[in-house]
Amino acid sequence: MTNPHTAAVELDGKDLPAHCPNPAMPLWSSHPRVFLEFIHGEAKCPYCGTAYRLKPGTVVGHH
């Protein structure tokens, strides 16, 4: 369960496509890499529960 008081990791367009674990996470907290799907500008890692949020004004490109 994640801590509701923990701030989400904010990402910009240059950080996309985003994945977890992210480069800032310590090695001991590693899990298999999963690419995040942002819905309404937010995503949550299914392994560790880390919340991610796109910075306001970020444009998500489509492939």
Side-chain angles (χ1 to χ4, degrees):
M1 181 174 233
T2 59
N3 183 344
H5 302 291
T6 303
V9 176
E10 282 201 333
L11 302 175
D12 206 347
K14 66 179 172 44
D15 301 316
L16 301 176
H19 59 83
C20 191
N22 66 59
M25 292 180 154
L27 186 58
W28 62 262
S29 66
S30 288
H31 55 68
R33 180 181 285 190
V34 59
F35 285 89
L36 303 168
E37 180 178 354
F38 286 86
I39 300 171
H40 303 294
E42 297 184 352
K44 185 179 260 189
C45 176
Y47 285 101
C48 67
T50 298
Y52 293 85
R53 179 181 309 130
L54 296 176
K55 290 180 182 177
T58 300
V59 177
V60 179
H62 296 280
H63 299 275

